Amino acid sequence: MNGVHEKGNDSPPDRLVDRSDRHLDYLRVSITDHCNLNCTYCLPFSSQFKQSHRDILRYEEILHLIQIFSDLGISKIRITGGEPLVRKEIFPFLTRLHEIRGIDDLAMTTNGLLLQDHLVKIKSAGIRRLNISLDSLNPENYHRITGHDVFQKVWEGILAAEKLGFHPIKINVVALRGINDHELTDMAKLSFSHPFHIRFIEYMPIGDSAMQPENPLFTKEIQERIASLGELYPIQREKMDGPARRFRFKNAIGEIGFISPISHHFCQTCNRLRLTASGFLRTCLLSDHQTDLKTPLRSGFSDQQIAHVILNAIRLKPTSHDLNSKQAAQIASPMSAIGG
Ligand code: SAM
């Protein structure tokens, strides 16, 4: 999409490069804010935060926006939610998404509950890389965290995905003091028996969740907790790597990753944008600022006009988040609506 704008001092760039010269090529797309689990640290305290059907972008609309994003330079898409696999007719949508020119990497984040039923369709639709959230290996604790007694089903889904050749399978573990911190070593040990990438994520204070830890667990302490398993050797970063700092234990077949948005933020290399299920563009996970794309889309704006709205929005992408500052406002939108 060259030549969208006349270049001038006040003109936005015609590619997704922000004022800090960050090249934005990764779009995370939440296709629903509905979820089939109720993780205490993720969902709003009051009730499930659900948008009405009309507020949610139709698949046709999401594909249209993704084509515009792709023309502007997005090449990597992650489908997320809520729980993406609960949205009806997701597979024809994924197949069409896979065919969009310019998108060369398509991934999904899921809680894994519906994985087993749909793995073959997920693979046929062009998804090779899965991130699966698993905050406990203990069925009772899993039940306590998620509100559902379904650990076994999720675990069987993960093993079935491994058998079917999905690689890498990244296991996301949000480290929560007093909730799953006694299991961190067991989670890390999985990297000896499976080729999984076990990624420990620092809890982010987002939304009005039922759980607001007073004393969060940061990466340094997580590393100390799992040190009994041996020394961690750093792994060279690769092009498609996200924010995880990657390591491996000697003789392990999988990896260990640390995602440290609070203690070691990676804002200076952030290449991400987020499209919410209701059609808002968020340029930073840890800021409530968002730009409406649904209204322009539904009002008949041309692709060039929508591209202009997007390019203007990325000018406002924060240079870094301020969650560490004393004045930091907590993010009001629930994670289930933004997609993580
Ligand atoms: N339902 C899918 C799942 O469970 O993976 C996708 C959506 S979920 C919002 C995406 C990721 O965000 C999950 O790995 C979840 O653990 C993580 N997450 C949710 N709330 C979080 C928080 N407050 N801090 C850090 N990670 C969080």
Side-chain angles (χ1 to χ4, degrees):
M1 186 162 295
N2 291 325
V4 174
H5 313 286
E6 291 294 306
K7 283 264 180 190
N9 282 346
D10 290 331
S11 307
D14 55 11
R15 301 291 287 173
L16 293 170
V17 181
D18 74 1
R19 60 190 166 162
S20 307
D21 202 31
R22 291 172 295 192
H23 290 241
L24 313 174
D25 59 1
Y26 177 19
L27 179 68
R28 298 173 64 99
V29 180
S30 170
I31 60 169
T32 177
D33 62 343
H34 291 216
C35 193
N36 46 4
L37 296 182
N38 299 285
C39 301
T40 43
Y41 63 89
C42 181
L43 282 177
F45 184 61
S46 34
S47 63
Q48 272 240 27
F49 182 90
K50 283 183 189 161
Q51 314 260 11
S52 76
H53 199 60
R54 222 203 103 66
D55 288 333
I56 298 292
L57 290 181
R58 296 188 294 275
Y59 284 136
E60 211 53 53
E61 294 173 321
I62 301 175
L63 291 166
H64 187 165
L65 286 176
I66 290 179
Q67 181 63 69
I68 296 172
F69 276 106
S70 162
D71 289 342
L72 289 170
I74 292 289
S75 58
K76 175 176 175 183
I77 299 279
R78 174 170 299 279
I79 298 300
T80 175
E83 172 50 38
L85 292 174
V86 300
R87 184 156 173 184
K88 290 195 180 108
E89 300 300 322
I90 183 178
F91 299 106
F93 159 73
L94 291 177
T95 304
R96 288 181 62 196
L97 176 51
H98 188 52
E99 287 161 2
I100 289 184
R101 65 174 184 274
I103 301 301
D104 51 34
D105 186 61
L106 187 54
M108 181 187 284
T109 300
T110 170
N111 59 34
L113 184 52
L114 298 176
L115 256 190
Q116 234 182 339
D117 310 339
H118 296 304
L119 274 171
V120 173
K121 282 183 267 174
I122 294 172
K123 199 166 188 190
S124 312
I127 294 202
R128 294 288 171 272
R129 297 185 311 104
L130 286 174
N131 287 13
I132 305 169
S133 306
L134 187 74
D135 296 316
S136 172
L137 291 173
N138 173 301
E140 276 173 32
N141 204 25
Y142 186 92
H143 188 169
R144 210 169 299 133
I145 295 169
T146 64
H148 292 262
D149 187 9
V150 290
F151 170 80
Q152 206 52 37
K153 187 157 187 226
V154 171
W155 181 242
E156 282 164 15
I158 294 173
L159 295 182
E162 179 189 358
K163 212 167 168 188
L164 209 63
F166 282 90
H167 188 76
I169 293 175
K170 296 183 181 173
I171 306 287
N172 285 350
V173 186
V174 179
L176 303 160
R177 193 184 301 282
I179 295 180
N180 66 359
D181 56 337
H182 57 293
E183 295 195 53
L184 299 179
T185 307
D186 287 342
M187 302 286 317
K189 244 188 227 165
L190 277 182
S191 72
F192 289 94
S193 47
H194 299 272
F196 302 153
H197 295 192
I198 312 295
R199 293 140 38 101
F200 295 104
I201 305 174
E202 289 175 350
Y203 169 81
M204 291 173 269
I206 289 188
D208 171 30
S209 69
M211 201 220 49
Q212 307 279 339
E214 294 272 304
N215 183 10
L217 197 50
F218 295 133
T219 294
K220 188 167 174 290
E221 188 178 341
I222 301 169
Q223 286 172 331
E224 286 162 7
R225 299 269 193 120
I226 64 173
S228 58
L229 296 177
E231 194 174 338
L232 278 171
Y233 296 91
I235 294 177
Q236 187 74 36
R237 287 187 63 78
E238 287 169 15
K239 186 171 167 275
M240 286 301 193
D241 279 357
R245 284 178 295 145
R246 298 169 55 193
F247 298 84
R248 192 190 293 279
F249 287 113
K250 193 173 175 191
N251 298 327
I253 52 175
E255 293 185 12
I256 302 294
F258 299 99
I259 302 183
S260 325
I262 308 298
S263 68
H264 194 270
H265 75 73
F266 33 83
C267 303
Q268 65 285 357
T269 55
C270 178
N271 62 344
R272 297 162 175 221
L273 295 172
R274 291 175 167 81
L275 180 63
T276 68
S278 50
F280 286 84
L281 173 64
R282 296 180 75 111
T283 58
C284 173
L285 173 62
L286 297 172
S287 156
D288 269 326
H289 189 274
Q290 54 182 13
T291 301
D292 184 4
L293 299 183
K294 179 175 60 189
T295 305
L297 188 68
R298 291 187 179 170
S299 321
F301 275 37
S302 69
D303 289 4
Q304 288 208 341
Q305 288 170 317
I306 294 171
H308 198 84
V309 175
I310 293 171
L311 291 166
N312 268 318
I314 68 149
R315 293 211 280 192
L316 301 175
K317 182 172 167 72
T319 316
S320 72
H321 72 70
D322 72 346
L323 282 185
N324 292 324
S325 83
K326 292 230 162 58
Q327 305 78 31
Q330 198 185 320
I331 311 304
S333 313
M335 192 68 113
S336 52
I338 311 170

